[in-house]
Structures are given as C-alpha cells and as structure tokens.
Amino acid sequence: MREEGDRQRWRGLLWCAAWVAAFALAGGGAWAQQRVPADEIRIGHWIDARGELGADGIFRAERAELKPPERHELLIGTVSSYDRRRGRFELLGQPVTLSGDTELENLAPGSLEGRRVEVEGEYRGPDEFEADEIEPRGPGRDRIGGRVDELEWTAEGVVARVMRFAVLLPPTVEQEDPGEAIPLASARVVAARGGVDEDDLFGRGILLAENLRLAGQVQLESGTERNYDLDRGDAEDRRDQEGAVRMRLSWRRSLALHGVAEVRASGRYRDDEDDGTSTTDQLRLGETFLYYRHPRAAFDLQLGRQDFDDEREWLYDRNLDGVRFVKSFFPWQLELSATTTLSDGSRRDRDATNWIAYLARERAERHLAFFVVHRDIDGAPGDRPTHLGFRLLGENGWLDAAWLAGEAAGRDLGGWGLDLGRTFPKAFGPIALTVGYAVGSGGDEEVGGTDRTFRQTGFQDNNGKFDGVTSFRYYGELADPELSNLHVATLGLGARVARRASLDLVAHGYRQDEASEVFLSEIGEDPEGEDRDLGWEIDLVYGDRRWEIFDLEAVLAYFAPGDAFGEDDDALLGKVQVRFRF
C-alpha cells in the first residue's frame, strides 16, 4: 500500500512538473516570441497602436500590435467639437462624419460631446472619417488602428504613417503568432480636403518592390454636340469618342522623400458634320517630380512637373514645370512656386514664367487664403498680368475674389472678378439647394486706356462639387465660359440617389457686364455686341462613385441663346464618361 501511494505521489509530482515545464516553455516562449522589432514593420502592415497624441502632432504609442488587415479603421478617444446639425465631430483631431447607416451602441447623438468612444469606419481623407459603428469606452489610452502607408526611421525611433497620423512606434511590436507571415493590406484610395479630383484617382496598383508601385487609370468618354453655332441650318454637329490611359510609377524612400513618374496616352475619333471624320492621338509626360518633406523644419520642396489644383479650380488646374516650396507655421501655410510649361502647352504658356504665392489658414471647415499669380510672358513684350485676391471656403459655401493688374498687349489692366455661393444640404428634405452668383468685369476703354475686362489666370478649369459625389463645370457644362465680362447666376438642386451616387439639376443665367462681340466660351457663335443678354443653360449631371475601381458620370445640357446673338436656335450636349482605376 505504501509503495502504491509513493508511486501515485511521484506520478502526481511528475505531472505537476510536466505542466509547469509546459507552461513555462509555452508561456515563456510565447512571451519571448510575441514581440518583433519595430524596424521589421513594412508598408502595408496593419497595426493597432495605443498611446497619446502630442501637441506636436505625433502619436506616441506605448504599445502596438501587428494584426491581419481588417475591414475598418479604428479610433478611440474623446469626442470634441460635436456639430449635431451636420452630424460631425472630432476625434484625436480627425473629423468624423455620421451617416444614416452609422450604428450607435448605447449612445444618443446628443450625448457625444465630451464622451470617450470607439469608432470603427472608413478613412476617406484628412477631413473625413465615415463612422460605421460608435460605442462608449471607459478610461484608458487613446488608440489608432489602420494600414501603415509610410515609414520613416528617425532618431526617436520608427515613425509609421497611419491614416493622417504620424505614429511613433515603441521599440518592439506585439504579434500574436510571429511564426505566421502577416499579409499586407492594399492601399486605399482616400480623398483630400473637400473631396478629391477624380482625374487624379488611381487604383491600388502593382507593388513592384517594397517602395515602388505601378498604378494606372483608363478613361473612356463619348460625347455629342448639337448646334453649337446656334444655327440649325448650318452643319456643325459633332460626335467624339475619346480614350486615355495614364500609367503612374510611385517611389517612396521614406516619409521625407518620394517621387512620381507618369506617362499619358490619349486618342480621339471625331465625326464632324462639316469636316468629316478624323483621328488624333498623343503621348505625353504627366506628373513627374521629386518631393522632399523636412521632418523637423516643417517645410516641403517639390521639383519637376507637378499638378497645381485648387479646390474649386477657379485659379488653376494645370500641370506646370518648376519648383514649389511649402512652409507651415500653424495655423498658416505658405506656398511659393516658380514654374513654366516645357511641353504640351500653347506658345504663350511655353514663353511664360509663372510666380505663385498662396497663403492659407485652415481651421475646422474653413479655408481662408490670400494669393498672387503673376505671369511674365517673354515672347510678348508688355504682357505681364497679375492676379491678387483672397478666398474663403467652407463646407457648404465659397467666396473667391480677385483683382487683375499689370499689363497685356501694352495696355494697363484693371479688372476684377467675384464668385460667391452657398449650398443648403437639406433645404427640401433629402434635396440640397445651391445658389451662386459670379461676375467678371467688362471693359471700359475710355478710362485712361486701361483695360477693365477681367480675365482668369488661364490655368482655371471652373470645376467643382455642390453637395453631390461628382464635380462638374459650375458655370455650365455646355457653354463652359471664362468669367470675363460676364455675370453668371446659378441655381441648383441635388440629391443623393444612393450612398455614393448623386443627381444634380443646375440652371445658369448669363449676361455680359458690357455689351461686346466677344464671349469666351465653347459656343461657336459670337454675340452682336448690342445686347447684354446671352441666354441661359440647364444641366443634368449624374455621378456614381459606389465602386472602388470604377466610376461613372453622365451629362445632359441645353443652352438657349439670348438677344445678344443674331442666331436663336438652341444647343445641346450629351456625354458619358467612364473611368477605371487599377
């Protein structure tokens, strides 16, 4: 009996020793292996960082975990600046938007201000994080979860760019199973402030190397123009079929240095009622530049062919060749540039040296800016126009104003332009209302020989959004006039027909500031110069952005000429544009 008891006692001790050893090996091994050095993190990894956002804008993570890619980005923090009317608040400085599909767990919208919450959703850009689910959280560290888009090795440690945040990682990062390779998350297309220019959206592309990616875009467009000369008796109708391919190679050395090289190929088939059929094709250089961001001095330097594109494209939407310097001193940012056009431009553009200064202050949803655009055209003595102005842009309103000085064709310039308007998102239930008025002064040759006719910079595109998902020519898709010797009154109605699809009905009335035989527009008939009434236009614009790699835009436009024209037949435009990204 005693020997049997001893054997059982020894068996028990051996089992205990085995369990202790197994626990020590498993636990100790897991503890030793569940952390990996931060410098093993790669672009595309998905991390979950816990820490605190500093006054310098750096999120210092006390703890970070490497995880498989998730469907939604994550933010945990305290709600501030809650705007109940617009359904927006800030979390860690990131604007968060509530939609009709946002789920609130044990929370009422009116109780969000000052609450600590967890938000899961989709990061669409520095000014939009669309919340899918919000739930309350107790005290603890703030948290950021998302894809690593950029990496920089600094004296303080590894800094990862996650969404809009610069995250300083701890020396080691946790990983549940270090023996398992964590898949990389694909880059997401996100919007810049106030929405993104659809022309510059690319797909996820192909990762050629760790910091080298090839992406592309294909655009197909079919359009019909009817009676642009306002005379049905004259054969001037036209049908166009156009296609364009853009291939962009993006290289990133670090958070501080990256580059882009782009090639564009385009072709057009035209069936003109008067001139017959024709085809044209073109191969040209797109954006190709080096971009350097100084990590401590808070300035950026961009050299090469680069896109100058303001939010409403009232000043510019053009690729220019040169150098651009950007200096930030909170809350202001100064942008200075010297450029020209080396190819793909008019003779005047190639002979011009452009000097641009843009000083902006961004606060909440308001963008205040002062600008100077000076052009010195070498090939035309006495051609040195200068635009001086300011702008105030909000989420639902705009004000652009500019004074034109300098000289052109040997004459002093003294024109002015003004564009203001506002969108009321829920003016009629789900229907938004937009009202706007723009004026560009007309000429007065009797005042000291000064030309009082306002002209825009020559780089403008006059393309923007109201409350929909797609941008369009906000002075008219068919006439598409330059704001010169012109008054434009705009009234628009728009609605979201789906979460990422919209329909806009926009009407414009046109009137010259001074009766003139010149109307800078797409209309192929000149006014007679005796009456100021140019007519009116109505546009129907449909945009669909429900797919990540595909979007659609369709336009119908009708122009009715006024008494300023000798011909009084109306004009029509119809076009459909499809864009693929890969």
Side-chain angles (χ1 to χ4, degrees), residues 46 66-70 180 182-183:
W46 194 278
L66 182 61
K67 305 175 68 173
E70 298 184 353
E180 180 182 350
I182 297 292

Side-chain angles (χ1 to χ4, degrees), residues 179-332:
E180 180 182 350
I182 297 292
L184 300 179
S186 300
R188 299 190 181 187
V189 176
V190 299
R193 182 196 178 276
V196 70
D197 183 356
E198 290 88 354
D199 291 344
D200 294 321
L201 280 178
F202 286 82
R204 298 179 178 183
I206 303 170
L207 191 64
L208 303 179
E210 183 177 334
N211 293 317
L212 192 65
R213 183 176 295 273
L214 180 65
Q217 180 195 104
V218 176
Q219 179 176 302
L220 303 174
E221 182 175 317
S222 177
T224 299
E225 300 175 0
R226 296 292 181 94
N227 202 37
Y228 267 40
D229 64 347
L230 309 180
D231 183 3
R232 291 196 186 94
D234 192 9
E236 290 289 342
D237 293 351
R238 173 185 295 172
R239 291 187 296 275
D240 287 336
Q241 310 290 330
E242 299 183 42
V245 178
R246 297 171 63 182
M247 300 299 296
R248 174 175 287 195
L249 189 66
S250 301
W251 166 80
R252 185 170 298 279
R253 172 63 181 84
S254 66
L255 279 174
L257 182 65
H258 72 273
V260 164
E262 182 185 320
V263 175
R264 303 185 181 193
S266 60
R268 182 186 67 201
Y269 171 80
R270 171 167 291 175
D271 184 0
D272 191 284
E273 194 174 12
D274 185 29
D275 299 328
T277 60
S278 62
T279 58
T280 59
D281 56 75
Q282 186 181 37
L283 181 65
R284 57 194 177 97
L285 188 69
E287 283 188 87
T288 302
F289 60 81
L290 285 175
Y291 197 105
Y292 174 73
R293 177 183 295 123
H294 196 285
R296 290 185 175 83
F299 75 81
D300 297 10
L301 193 65
Q302 188 173 10
L303 178 65
R305 171 159 289 191
Q306 50 199 278
D307 184 24
F308 284 74
D309 189 357
D310 74 271
E311 186 170 338
R312 298 187 65 243
E313 299 178 359
W314 196 73
L315 290 176
Y316 35 64
D317 178 24
R318 184 73 64 87
N319 283 348
L320 299 174
D321 303 292
V323 61
R324 174 159 44 180
F325 171 85
V326 181
K327 171 65 178 176
S328 297
F329 42 98
F330 183 84
W332 293 90

Side-chain angles (χ1 to χ4, degrees), residues 109-147:
S111 67
L112 285 173
E113 181 70 35
R115 292 291 299 271
R116 183 172 168 78
V117 299
E118 174 181 323
V119 180
E120 291 186 0
E122 297 181 23
Y123 176 70
R124 299 188 182 279
D127 284 330
E128 185 177 0
F129 185 106
E130 188 171 294
D132 285 328
E133 184 176 343
I134 304 176
E135 62 182 53
R137 291 295 296 252
R141 289 170 293 188
D142 294 335
R143 191 167 157 191
I144 295 171
R147 180 186 186 271

Side-chain angles (χ1 to χ4, degrees), residues 167-178:
V167 180
L168 178 61
L169 299 174
T172 59
V173 176
E174 299 175 15
Q175 181 179 347
E176 185 175 345
D177 186 355

Side-chain angles (χ1 to χ4, degrees), residues 18 20 23 31 35 40 47 55 77 92 113 129 208 247 249 264 273 285 441 448 455 502 505 508 578:
V20 169
F23 178 81
W31 180 261
R35 292 182 175 273
E40 292 187 11
I47 65 169
L92 303 177
E113 181 70 35
F129 185 106
L208 303 179
M247 300 299 296
L249 189 66
R264 303 185 181 193
E273 194 174 12
L285 188 69
S441 64
R455 297 289 298 270
S502 61
L505 181 65
H508 307 280
V578 180

Side-chain angles (χ1 to χ4, degrees), residues 518-529:
V518 177
F519 179 34
L520 300 177
S521 73
E522 293 299 310
I523 300 298
E525 177 72 12
D526 294 325
E528 294 183 333

